[in-house]
Amino acid sequence: RIKASGLKLRFCTNETQATREKFVKKLQGMGFDISVAEVTAPAPAACRILEERSLRPHLLVHNDLVPEFAEIDKANPNCVVIGDAAENFTYANLNEAFRVLIGMEKPILFSLGRGRYYKETDGLKLDVGAYMKALEYACDVQAEVVGKPAKAFFESALAEMGVPPEEVIMIGDDIVNDVGGAQRCGMRALQVRTGKYRPCDENHPYVKPDAYVNNLAEAVDILLQQL
Amino acid sequence: RIKASGLKLRFCTNETQATREKFVKKLQGMGFDISVAEVTAPAPAACRILEERSLRPHLLVHNDLVPEFAEIDKANPNCVVIGDAAENFTYANLNEAFRVLIGMEKPILFSLGRGRYYKETDGLKLDVGAYMKALEYACDVQAEVVGKPAKAFFESALAEMGVPPEEVIMIGDDIVNDVGGAQRCGMRALQVRTGKYRPCDENHPYVKPDAYVNNLAEAVDILLQQL
C-alpha cells in the first residue's frame, strides 16, 4: 500500500546474522513485497567504509554474514569488524580478535550495531554490544558503530531515497535504535506497540516518539490518510 | 628473611585460576616459604561477602577455583560471581550468567578482579575485566570488584595482619592494581622492575610509587636495612 501510493520506502535493519538475500527471502515468505535493493543493513554499510578508508578487516561475525564481505580484501588485517557472531563468539575467537586489535599501533574496531541483548525461542542472548564493550575495555579503544542508531547509517538510507530528513517518517519498535536514532537525523519517528516495544518505553528518560501506533498496519493507515 | 626479621608478611594475589592450595604449592616449588593462611585472594574474600550478605552465587569461574566456593550455598542464585574463567568463557556460559543477572529485580554482579588481559605462553588472553564490562553493559549494572585494586581487599589484608596502613609497605609489579590500590588505602608502595613492570609505568599519569626497586630481593635488602 505504501509503494502503491507513490511514497518512497526503505527498510532499515540491524540484522547481522544473515545476508540481505536471506533476510529478504524470510520477509517475502511472510508476504512482504521487498527486494535486496530496498534494504539498508550494517554489513554493506561497513563494506563501503572499509573501501573508502582502504581497511582490511579481521571478521568476527556470523557465518551467514561472511558472503556480504566477499569483495573485501581481508589479507593482513588492519582493523576488526564484529557483528552478532552468536556461536562464533567463542573464547578462542574473542582472544584472536583481541590480539589483532592490540597488535595495531592504533586499534580500529567496527561494531555492527550496539544492542545489549535479544530474545530467541530458547531464551535471551547477549548481543554484539556486550562483546563490543569487552574489546573496547581490553584495548582502551572506542568502537565505531555501523547500523542503527548511528547517524551515518540513517543518512545513507536518506541518500539512497534521495529525500531530506524532514520529509521522512521512521516506523520502528525500538525506542532508542529506531526512534531516537531517526529523530537525531531530523526525521520524525513513530513507535509501534508490537515487537520489542514495552509499556515502560513510553516513560523513556530522553526519547519521545512523535506518535505511537498500535501496529505497522495502523501506521500505514494513518500515513495514507494524510496524502 | 622478612619472616626471620619479625616483620609481619601477607601475600596479596588476584589469582583466580586456582585454589590457594594450588597457588601455594606452585610457590613452594619455587622455594618460597609460604602457607595458605598467609594468602589474601579474591575467592575467599568473595565468600566472606556472600556470607555476610546472604547471597547465593551463580559461578562463572575457572574449574580449578570452584573448590574455594565449596561451603557456599549456590541453590536458587541471587547474584553472579565471575572470575577469569578462561575456557569456561563460552558463548553458552556467558548467556547463562547474563540470564541469571537480567532475571533479578536488581542484578548483583561480583567480579574477581578487573584486569584487561594477560600473557600466556600461547599468547595474549582477555582477562575477567573484559567479560565484566560485557555483562555490565548488557544488564546496565556496575560490578562490585573483589581483589586488587579494591580498597576493601587491601583492608582485609591489613585486618588479617592487625597493622595500620601507615606501618605497611606493599611490594608489587603492577602500577595500578598493586601500587595505586595500596596507596589509596594509606600504605606506601614499591614497584619492582620485574614481571608486569614496563618502563612506561614510570610516567604513569596518576600513580607514582614511593620508590622503585630492581627486584624483590633488592626490596627485602632495603627494608631490612631500615630496621
Side-chain angles (χ1 to χ4, degrees):
Chain A
R1 290 171 62 208
I2 290 277
K3 285 184 179 180
S5 78
L7 288 173
K8 289 185 179 175
L9 179 62
R10 193 91 199 146
F11 299 90
C12 294
T13 178
N14 268 6
E15 173 66 55
T16 63
Q17 284 209 1
T19 56
R20 284 164 295 171
E21 282 72 14
K22 271 202 174 181
F23 172 74
V24 159
K25 256 191 199 136
K26 188 172 142 192
L27 287 172
Q28 285 171 341
M30 293 171 175
F32 284 90
D33 170 12
I34 178 173
S35 69
V36 168
E38 293 169 319
V39 175
T40 301
C47 288
R48 274 196 302 277
I49 294 170
L50 294 170
E51 282 170 345
E52 278 166 23
R53 290 162 55 181
S54 301
L55 291 170
R56 300 176 305 276
H58 170 88
L59 297 178
L60 177 49
V61 301
H62 197 284
N63 288 346
D64 290 350
L65 195 69
V66 173
E68 291 275 19
F69 295 87
E71 305 297 315
I72 300 287
D73 179 8
K74 291 176 283 286
N76 188 17
N78 55 7
C79 71
V80 168
V81 173
I82 62 166
D84 177 21
E87 304 288 343
N88 278 348
F89 279 133
T90 63
Y91 181 60
N93 286 347
L94 282 164
N95 281 331
E96 199 188 342
F98 161 67
R99 277 180 218 132
V100 172
L101 278 174
I102 203 77
M104 297 172 195
E105 201 181 333
K106 199 181 167 303
I108 301 175
L109 172 63
F110 293 97
S111 184
L112 306 180
R114 54 178 300 131
R116 293 164 182 256
Y117 60 91
Y118 56 88
K119 197 173 185 170
E120 288 201 330
T121 47
D122 57 340
L124 295 172
K125 304 278 174 78
L126 289 169
D127 199 356
V128 63
Y131 294 96
M132 172 190 87
K133 287 288 172 184
L135 292 173
E136 282 187 341
Y137 177 72
C139 302
D140 196 17
V141 66
Q142 179 132 32
E144 301 181 36
V145 177
V146 182
K148 300 181 283 185
K151 208 172 173 190
F153 189 72
F154 283 107
E155 285 169 350
S156 71
L158 290 172
E160 286 151 354
M161 291 193 292
V163 179
E166 59 273 17
E167 294 180 17
V168 178
I169 288 183
M170 171 80 189
I171 308 170
D173 63 353
D174 188 313
I175 183 74
V176 170
N177 290 311
D178 295 335
V179 174
Q183 287 178 333
R184 271 195 299 143
C185 287
M187 294 179 236
R188 279 164 293 175
L190 304 182
Q191 189 178 14
V192 290
R193 290 198 178 98
T194 56
K196 216 181 251 187
Y197 165 85
R198 290 187 190 187
C200 65
D201 290 347
E202 305 206 11
N203 306 313
H204 194 278
Y206 61 90
V207 183
K208 198 178 151 46
D210 293 274
Y212 294 95
V213 286
N214 288 316
N215 51 56
L216 185 54
E218 188 181 299
V220 175
D221 283 342
I222 293 171
L223 288 181
L224 297 186
Q225 279 164 19
Q226 319 290 316
L227 295 182
Chain B
R1 291 171 61 206
I2 290 275
K3 283 185 181 177
S5 78
L7 287 173
K8 290 184 179 175
L9 178 63
R10 194 92 200 145
F11 299 89
C12 293
T13 177
N14 267 7
E15 173 65 55
T16 64
Q17 284 207 4
T19 57
R20 283 164 297 170
E21 283 73 13
K22 273 203 175 183
F23 172 72
V24 159
K25 258 193 197 133
K26 188 171 142 193
L27 287 172
Q28 285 171 342
M30 293 171 176
F32 285 91
D33 171 12
I34 177 173
S35 70
V36 168
E38 294 169 318
V39 175
T40 300
C47 288
R48 275 197 302 279
I49 295 170
L50 295 170
E51 282 169 347
E52 279 166 22
R53 291 163 55 180
S54 301
L55 291 170
R56 300 177 304 277
H58 170 89
L59 297 178
L60 178 49
V61 300
H62 197 283
N63 289 346
D64 290 349
L65 195 70
V66 173
E68 292 274 21
F69 295 87
E71 305 295 315
I72 300 288
D73 179 10
K74 292 176 282 283
N76 189 18
N78 55 8
C79 72
V80 168
V81 174
I82 60 167
D84 176 20
E87 303 288 343
N88 279 348
F89 279 134
T90 63
Y91 182 61
N93 286 348
L94 281 164
N95 281 331
E96 200 189 342
F98 162 67
R99 278 179 216 130
V100 172
L101 278 174
I102 203 79
M104 298 172 194
E105 200 181 330
K106 197 178 167 307
I108 301 176
L109 172 62
F110 293 98
S111 184
L112 305 180
R114 54 179 297 132
R116 293 163 182 255
Y117 60 90
Y118 56 88
K119 195 173 185 171
E120 288 199 332
T121 46
D122 57 338
L124 294 173
K125 305 279 174 78
L126 289 169
D127 199 356
V128 62
Y131 295 96
M132 172 190 87
K133 287 289 172 184
L135 292 174
E136 283 187 340
Y137 177 71
C139 301
D140 197 17
V141 67
Q142 180 133 29
E144 301 180 35
V145 176
V146 182
K148 299 180 284 184
K151 208 174 174 188
F153 188 71
F154 284 106
E155 285 169 349
S156 71
L158 291 172
E160 286 152 355
M161 291 194 291
V163 178
E166 58 274 18
E167 297 180 13
V168 179
I169 290 184
M170 171 81 189
I171 308 169
D173 63 354
D174 187 313
I175 184 74
V176 170
N177 289 312
D178 295 334
V179 174
Q183 288 179 331
R184 271 195 298 144
C185 287
M187 292 178 240
R188 280 165 292 174
L190 305 182
Q191 189 177 14
V192 290
R193 290 199 179 100
T194 56
K196 216 181 249 186
Y197 165 86
R198 290 188 191 187
C200 65
D201 290 347
E202 305 205 13
N203 306 313
H204 194 279
Y206 61 90
V207 182
K208 196 176 152 47
D210 293 275
Y212 294 96
V213 285
N214 287 318
N215 52 57
L216 185 54
E218 188 181 299
V220 174
D221 285 341
I222 293 170
L223 288 180
L224 296 185
Q225 280 164 19
Q226 319 289 316
L227 293 183

